[in-house]
Amino acid sequence: MSYTIVYKSLPKSNPHPMPARKKVPAAKKPARARGPQPAAPRASRGDHAYDTLFAAIESGRLRPGSRLREIELSEWVGASRTPIREALGRLEGEGLIARDPSRGMIVAELDHGMVAELYDMREVLEGTAAGLAARHASEAEIDALRELAQRDREAGDDAVRLARLNRLFHEAVFRSAHNRFLMRAVHALRQSMVLLGRTTLAVPGRAEVARGEHDAIVAAIARRDAEAAAAAARAHIRAAYRARLGLLLEE
């Protein structure tokens, strides 16, 4: 019996075999935290101390010339001396507090010359803002000015409420001007205005006159009369300055 031998060819081996690919373990998903999530970070203690002291100066609780002692402020605000020191540094940089050779750190004081300079700048900025508002205010912004003027008429003789509405009215005029550089200048000016003390709207008869002045500003803006709006705003600030002089003479 004869046998036939069959030879099967074997596959040629690769002289440069590829290394075996390693399995990369899948990344683990972070475990979901259990329990209540941490709250968003709150304002720093320095910010809280600054806001408290600024509000006290603005309201007149800390009057111009008042001495500012870190230990007393720390107890009053409820913060350590470090955030108090930080807040005082910010207020000093903004010109709201000053260092007196004999009294130490005090709330800054404005003399008559400084008050006159402040109102000169305010007249320029308010007039510019009203003129720009006559050109750029939207109809919705003009309606908002009318509404604020109406709320002012309904406030009666409440000096605190009148002062708040007056501030809202002037802020609305500045926003209606749509000029960011003007807003920066106004912000710097308003920082110093908190040193003026009580509102001129507390002067007998001043609130009623101011209402008419506001109405004139709004009417000119609504007519898109930039020149008349600027003139009305400047006249309004000059009248406020005369009332301020009366308050200063009483002190």
Side-chain angles (χ1 to χ4, degrees):
M1 182 180 293
S2 61
Y3 297 90
T4 303
I5 301 175
V6 179
Y7 295 92
K8 292 183 178 180
S9 59
L10 297 174
K12 294 181 180 181
S13 59
N14 190 342
H16 303 289
M18 294 293 291
R21 187 175 293 177
K22 295 181 179 180
K23 292 184 177 180
V24 180
K28 294 182 179 180
K29 294 182 179 180
R32 183 176 296 177
R34 297 180 179 179
Q37 298 299 306
R42 297 180 180 178
S44 70
R45 291 183 176 87
D47 290 337
H48 170 69
Y50 170 85
D51 291 340
T52 303
L53 295 177
F54 184 91
I57 294 172
E58 185 176 31
S59 66
R61 184 171 182 178
L62 289 175
R63 296 178 60 81
S66 301
R67 295 185 65 179
L68 303 171
R69 300 179 179 88
E70 285 186 10
I71 296 178
E72 294 176 358
L73 294 176
S74 177
E75 295 175 354
W76 177 55
V77 175
S80 66
R81 294 178 66 177
T82 298
I84 294 296
R85 195 174 298 119
E86 177 186 332
L88 291 175
R90 287 177 60 184
L91 292 167
E92 184 178 14
E94 293 169 355
L96 298 182
I97 65 175
R99 297 179 187 273
D100 184 83
S102 59
R103 293 176 290 175
M105 191 165 283
I106 62 170
V107 177
E109 299 171 294
L110 299 177
D111 59 28
H112 285 209
M114 295 170 73
V115 172
E117 292 170 9
L118 189 61
Y119 272 91
D120 282 343
M121 283 304 302
R122 187 180 175 195
E123 181 181 338
V124 171
L125 294 177
E126 297 269 4
T128 301
L132 289 173
R135 296 188 181 98
H136 304 303
S138 66
E139 290 301 320
E141 287 170 327
I142 294 174
D143 287 342
L145 287 171
R146 291 193 182 104
E147 181 181 348
L148 285 168
Q150 179 59 35
R151 289 170 61 186
D152 191 33
R153 285 189 287 273
E154 296 169 356
D157 296 325
D158 185 343
V160 174
R161 187 181 176 194
L162 286 171
R164 183 175 63 83
L165 289 170
N166 182 67
R167 184 166 57 250
L168 291 174
F169 177 84
H170 287 278
E171 287 174 353
V173 173
F174 282 119
R175 285 195 303 272
S176 299
H178 295 281
N179 188 300
R180 69 194 72 184
F181 298 100
L182 177 65
M183 291 298 293
R184 291 177 189 175
V186 170
H187 176 73
L189 186 70
R190 287 197 177 279
Q191 293 291 90
S192 299
M193 286 183 61
V194 302
L195 298 171
L196 290 173
R198 61 188 176 126
T199 176
T200 57
L201 296 173
V203 175
R206 174 59 193 153
E208 188 60 35
V209 174
R211 289 187 184 103
E213 293 164 355
H214 283 181
D215 289 341
I217 294 170
V218 175
I221 291 174
R223 294 196 310 270
R224 304 297 181 179
D225 188 337
E227 186 176 348
R234 294 178 75 110
H236 173 54
I237 300 305
R238 287 195 296 270
Y241 175 55
R242 290 192 293 271
R244 177 63 60 189
L245 287 178
L247 289 177
L248 292 175
L249 293 174
E250 292 176 4
E251 296 179 353

